[in-house]
Amino acid sequence: MTEPHHGKIHIGMRNIKTACSATLCALLYLLLDRNPTFACIGAVFGMGSDMATSRLHGGNRLFGTIIGGLLGMFLFSIYIKIYPQGGKHILMLLLLFVGVVLLILAGQLLHWPGAIQPGGVMLCILLFNQPVDAYVTYSLNRILDTAVGVLMSLLINRLLPREKITHWMIWLCGGHYDGIEVEN
């Protein structure tokens, strides 16, 4: 077990794994000629100090994006039935209010309160930042991108658990690494 760093600035394993996950997402998306922004955000949110923390944080981000995206698509579809050309109208405020209430209720009902904040972000982006003809594809792409990023972090955390990296670092550093000493 490593000693806590108590405020010392350091590059630890989580730092390296987070950077690796985000960079691999960006590489994948650049090869596919897609914007990697939301996959990288999913990768950063999805990395935890261990697998359980990664599942929790990544799950919050992914589930929130799904709920916020689906709810946002539903509310925006109501909005464009009334205002087919879009624009900013007072109805959007009412839909936001209803959307946030429904989002919080969904988080409570499904016992996933950590999904409320990322879901709220997705909901606001959909309601206030999307053209009428792009809200469905935007939502589905953000859900997909977030899933790719979260899954990349889960994969990195599964392939490179702390114990394995610590073992490799001790071997590479000749028996001493990060406060851990081992006799050769």
Side-chain angles (χ1 to χ4, degrees):
M1 187 75 141
T2 62
E3 291 292 318
H5 292 277
H6 298 295
K8 292 180 186 176
I9 295 175
H10 72 287
I11 296 176
M13 289 177 250
R14 182 174 173 190
N15 182 307
I16 298 299
K17 290 193 298 185
T18 303
C20 191
S21 181
T23 302
L24 288 173
C25 282
L27 173 63
L28 174 65
Y29 271 64
L30 292 174
L31 292 172
L32 297 172
D33 197 29
R34 285 179 54 107
N35 185 323
T37 302
F38 288 93
C40 292
I41 291 169
V44 171
F45 271 84
M47 185 56 68
S49 56
D50 55 28
M51 230 13 223
T53 307
S54 284
R55 279 193 296 270
L56 175 65
H57 293 297
N60 286 343
R61 177 70 186 187
L62 180 56
F63 187 67
T65 301
I66 291 169
I67 294 296
L70 295 175
L71 187 56
M73 283 191 293
F74 171 71
L75 294 170
F76 200 82
S77 71
I78 292 171
Y79 180 76
I80 61 172
K81 283 185 173 105
I82 297 168
Y83 295 105
Q85 301 304 315
K88 306 294 184 226
H89 300 281
I90 196 79
L91 175 60
M92 194 63 75
L93 300 176
L94 176 61
L95 292 173
L96 174 64
F97 183 87
V98 169
V100 170
V101 169
L102 292 174
L103 178 68
I104 293 169
L105 289 173
Q108 291 172 344
L109 179 69
L110 299 169
H111 305 287
W112 211 312
I116 294 168
Q117 290 172 324
V121 169
M122 182 69 172
L123 178 64
C124 290
I125 289 171
L126 276 172
L127 290 179
F128 295 111
N129 203 34
Q130 288 309 301
V132 174
D133 60 343
Y135 75 98
V136 172
T137 56
Y138 178 86
S139 298
L140 296 175
N141 278 317
R142 293 308 67 84
I143 291 167
L144 173 68
D145 296 342
T146 299
V148 167
V150 168
L151 290 173
M152 182 66 76
S153 282
L154 290 172
L155 178 66
I156 295 292
N157 229 345
R158 172 68 67 201
L159 294 175
L160 302 172
R162 176 176 294 277
E163 300 77 29
K164 187 181 287 186
I165 293 174
T166 301
H167 177 76
W168 290 342
M169 293 306 292
I170 291 169
W171 179 78
L172 285 171
C173 296
H176 175 75
Y177 170 71
D178 201 23
I180 301 171
E181 291 200 37
V182 184
E183 291 182 27
N184 290 332

